[in-house]
Amino acid sequence: MTQLEKQFRRLERAFAKVLDDREREVQDYEDDAWNFFHACWHLKDWIQHDEESVPQHVGKRVEQDVESFWKLVLVGDLVNRTQRVRVNKNETDEEVAQRRLRITAPSPKSRWVNGLQQTDRGKSGHTVLVVADDMDLEYPIRDLAKDTMRIWHTLLKLYGLNDLL
C-alpha cells in the first residue's frame, strides 16, 4: 500500500465518522469533522509528493485543479486558519476579523406545542460549518463532506488513480 493510498483510506475513515448520525457530544463530532477537513485538504499534498505512485504531470497539476473547486478551497481556508491567523500575508486585520471561519452547533430552536414552549437542541448530525460571518453563510458539515469527497473522486478518476477508489 502506497503512502497516498494510506492517506486516502484515512480520509475515507474520517468521512465515515462525519456521516455518522448517532447521538453524541457535539465536541466529539466537531473533532471528527476537523479530522476530516484536515485529511481532505492535505490529500493534495500527498498527491503532489508521492513520486512513486503518481505520474509527475499529476503532481504538478493537482494544486491548480484543487483551486478551481470553491468547496475544496473553503476546506483549505478553514484548515489553514486553524493553524495560523493569517492565510494571506497581505490581509489586513479587518479582513481577518471579517472572515472568521468556525464549526459550531446551531442555536437551540424553541417552538410552542400544545401551549408549552419546547426547545429542540438537535443532535451532532445537525452541526453546521459557519463560514464568513460577515456574509451570514452556514454550510452543513455533512453536505460539505459529501461534496468534497465527490470532487476528490472525480479528480482521482481524472488523474488515472482509480485504484484508490
Side-chain angles (χ1 to χ4, degrees), residues 82-100:
T82 64
Q83 296 171 355
R84 55 192 164 280
V85 176
R86 289 189 202 296
V87 174
N88 176 345
K89 65 181 178 180
N90 296 325
E91 283 182 308
T92 65
D93 289 341
E94 183 178 318
E95 289 170 323
V96 170
Q98 287 180 349
R99 294 193 63 211
R100 291 187 320 165

Side-chain angles (χ1 to χ4, degrees), residues 54-80:
V54 177
Q56 188 176 18
H57 72 280
V58 170
K60 290 180 179 179
R61 159 179 168 193
V62 67
E63 186 84 33
Q64 179 181 349
D65 289 348
V66 165
E67 293 292 327
S68 68
F69 291 95
W70 73 268
K71 292 174 185 174
L72 285 177
V73 172
L74 173 63
V75 167
D77 205 23
L78 180 67
V79 166
N80 288 327

Side-chain angles (χ1 to χ4, degrees), residues 14 27 36 41 50 52 55 66 82 126 138-139 148 156-157:
Q27 182 178 356
F36 170 78
W41 178 245
D50 188 341
E52 292 177 23
V66 165
T82 64
H126 298 245
E138 294 183 355
Y139 204 125
T148 54
L156 292 172
K157 287 178 186 174

